[in-house]
Amino acid sequence: MELNLRKLNDDVRDKLLKARLTTSSKILQLTENELKRIGDFTAEDVKSIFLLASQTTVKAIPLNAELPMITTGCKHIDAILGGGLRRSSGINELSGESGCGKTQLCLQLTLTTQNHEIVGGINKSVLYICTEDSFPSKRLVQMMENIPPPFKNRYEIPYGDRIYIEHISDVNGLKECLFMRLPNLLNTGKIGLIIIDSIAALFRADYAPQDGLQRTKDLRSVGCQLHSLSKKFNICVLCVNQVTSSISTNETDPIPALGLAWANLVTTRIVMKKYQFQDLRVIKLVFSPHTGPASCGYTITDSGVRGTEI
């Protein structure tokens, strides 16, 4: 999509025009260093350009209010998300430290997605891509046995039969899945939600320090394909991310991993945090094109993740 270059200062705009970098797709295929070299841009210029490119990409994706949202199964969490997770809206990212409940919420969404529209589902199957551990089937069974009203036994849904599980151990395997095999499955119209648990595991393990350029290109390739699939097939995409320590003195909490290259591709960012010494868990919507930042507390029960007022 064409960029609205009037949002940038004159010098940056002229350099982009001279380099014929006027679309979001061209810019998002570049690394930060490549863009700096092309226009002799400052770090602040590069940040502004990538932000404009990512915002242009997100706006180009029709949010289509007619498509029903997917409930998380909790009214408190749905409320901070503006009603639930939206389809055809790019990449939803769920990040947090190990043990905070990210996979728990993902499993919960594999169940709610299959529910009938009248109770907040979309009556679709789920593709769950595991990259770290084996699929937590025992925990899923426990959740199925403890499904709360109004979902429980409402339509006698065969939850366990409508989850497609894929185990992928490297980036090449993920790209093969997303570009070659997945479109055929999505053409059937059965899938409503894709979960990658986690995206960070592959991109933090598969590259040596000197492979940063290739890592960035692969990240953007995967991210752009997820956006494309979300838009074309009207599905919801949820990517689990890990966290890393911040080098900024202004940040006291860990921040989502994978850096700016990935952050510019994320449409909606959700963070889960467990405070060890306060017996408190908080889920926070950091940014979204649909609603403003918000947060609530949460607990983890036999039936899944349940929001609470802080």
Side-chain angles (χ1 to χ4, degrees), residues 51-264:
L51 180 60
L52 178 60
S54 61
Q55 290 174 340
T56 302
T57 299
V58 169
K59 289 179 180 178
I61 299 172
L63 299 181
N64 197 343
E66 295 182 358
L67 289 173
M69 289 182 284
I70 303 174
T71 179
T72 62
C74 171
K75 65 179 183 179
H76 293 288
I77 300 176
D78 282 350
I80 69 170
L81 298 178
L85 291 183
R86 285 170 171 80
R87 302 157 66 189
S88 192
S89 62
I91 298 172
N92 298 279
E93 178 199 73
L94 177 63
S95 67
E97 298 166 288
S98 177
C100 69
K102 302 186 296 297
T103 295
Q104 309 276 335
L105 186 55
C106 289
L107 292 176
Q108 189 164 309
L109 284 160
T110 66
L111 300 179
T112 60
T113 299
Q114 299 175 62
N115 286 326
H116 194 276
E117 288 90 340
I118 198 170
V119 289
I122 57 173
N123 196 25
K124 295 281 187 178
S125 299
V126 177
L127 172 64
Y128 200 113
I129 299 175
C130 303
T131 68
E132 295 186 77
D133 302 311
S134 58
F135 182 77
S137 55
K138 290 184 179 180
R139 175 57 173 143
L140 179 68
V141 170
Q142 183 185 37
M143 285 187 178
M144 290 167 57
E145 292 174 344
N146 292 276
I147 292 175
F151 312 111
K152 189 172 184 179
N153 298 326
R154 184 76 180 260
Y155 297 98
E156 298 184 354
I157 295 170
Y159 291 106
D161 298 335
R162 303 177 73 190
I163 303 173
Y164 297 81
I165 301 170
E166 184 83 12
H167 290 90
I168 293 176
S169 60
D170 56 42
V171 172
N172 287 334
L174 180 62
K175 292 171 71 175
E176 179 186 355
C177 175
L178 296 182
F179 285 91
M180 304 298 293
R181 292 182 281 121
L182 185 52
N184 292 328
L185 176 61
L186 296 181
N187 271 324
T188 66
K190 296 179 179 179
I191 303 297
L193 170 66
I194 296 173
I195 295 174
I196 302 179
D197 186 7
S198 72
I199 191 74
L202 301 180
F203 285 95
R204 297 183 88 176
D206 279 11
Y207 298 88
Q210 64 270 21
D211 297 330
L213 178 61
Q214 186 60 49
R215 175 181 179 269
T216 298
K217 289 183 175 180
D218 287 341
L219 260 177
R220 290 213 171 104
S221 175
V222 166
C224 288
Q225 177 66 355
L226 289 172
H227 273 280
S228 176
L229 295 174
S230 174
K231 176 183 177 181
K232 181 177 180 180
F233 296 102
N234 293 330
I235 58 174
C236 179
V237 174
L238 178 64
C239 293
V240 176
N241 196 359
Q242 299 169 357
V243 293
T244 185
S245 297
S246 172
I247 60 174
S248 170
T249 57
N250 297 323
E251 295 285 348
T252 57
D253 290 334
I255 60 175
L258 302 181
L260 186 62
W262 173 252
N264 282 325

